Amino acid sequence: MEGRDDRKMANGVGKHKLLVIGPKEPWSVREKLCLATSVMKSGDQNWVSVSRAIKPFAEPGRPPDWFSQKHCASKYSELLETTEAPKRKRGEKGEVVETVEDVIVRRLTGERIEELKKLIKETQETHRKLKREAELIQAGHLDSKLEELWEDIQLKRKQEEEEAELKRKNTDAAYQGKYCI
């Protein structure tokens, strides 16, 4: 019976049954884009291939079965539920040119591009700031503040480590109470 539900949930036709399986930790746009492109390539009935193809793209700290077949099918079902059916464009022979898979991949690609643009901008700004600080240090203008700067660096490092540990614990906790339907 469960297999039939998975097929209903996964096929790209008609109403989609929204089935939430797995940890409540959200998937990144990158992970969703990997999922959508893999489904586009392998189809929405071949979850073994989809799961295997995207496993190398898991974000750091993800549990080993983050991209299990059921989790992939569930997440793809969510993507289908939140995507409007494509406008009916016709090709030369009357076939529909754009599929719901195309719409999902196009939307996620746009989101990922925006994420990467933002990341590039933030990285460039950080680089400029560090370059200015390095120049000031080399010129001797910050000698009186070196101890304070070092303490700031250590504090930031400690905060980043604590945040990473908290995220890991949250992922583990969400994963422990993982299956909610």
Side-chain angles (χ1 to χ4, degrees), residues 60-180:
R62 296 292 197 211
D65 66 342
W66 182 262
F67 288 130
S68 72
Q69 297 166 39
K70 285 187 177 185
H71 294 169
C72 289
S74 174
K75 181 51 71 176
Y76 195 71
S77 174
E78 288 179 36
L79 290 173
L80 288 170
E81 284 291 323
T82 58
T83 302
E84 286 187 36
K87 301 215 177 353
R88 294 183 99 37
K89 297 178 183 175
R90 300 259 175 223
E92 291 177 18
K93 298 177 183 174
E95 72 275 4
V96 175
V97 175
E98 189 174 52
T99 65
V100 69
E101 289 88 357
D102 295 329
V103 173
I104 291 171
V105 168
R106 187 169 19 90
R107 177 176 52 91
L108 291 171
T109 299
E111 288 178 26
R112 183 67 178 146
I113 288 169
E114 290 306 312
E115 271 186 356
L116 291 171
K117 283 180 181 178
K118 183 179 176 186
L119 182 63
I120 289 169
K121 191 174 184 179
E122 290 169 357
T123 303
Q124 288 173 334
E125 185 55 40
T126 300
H127 178 262
R128 277 192 287 274
K129 181 182 174 193
L130 291 173
K131 188 175 177 184
R132 271 194 309 269
E133 284 181 9
E135 289 168 354
L136 291 173
I137 289 170
Q138 288 174 343
H141 296 299
L142 295 179
D143 288 350
S144 61
K145 295 184 179 183
L146 282 179
E147 194 170 318
E148 183 183 329
L149 288 171
W150 179 245
E151 288 173 8
D152 286 348
I153 290 169
Q154 289 178 318
L155 181 64
K156 284 180 186 174
R157 236 184 234 156
K158 186 178 178 185
Q159 287 174 339
E160 287 172 358
E161 288 170 2
E162 288 172 355
E163 287 173 9
E165 180 66 17
L166 181 63
K167 183 177 180 180
R168 187 191 63 74
K169 284 181 180 178
N170 286 342
T171 299
D172 288 348
Y175 196 72
Q176 293 305 316
K178 62 182 172 182
Y179 293 101
C180 63

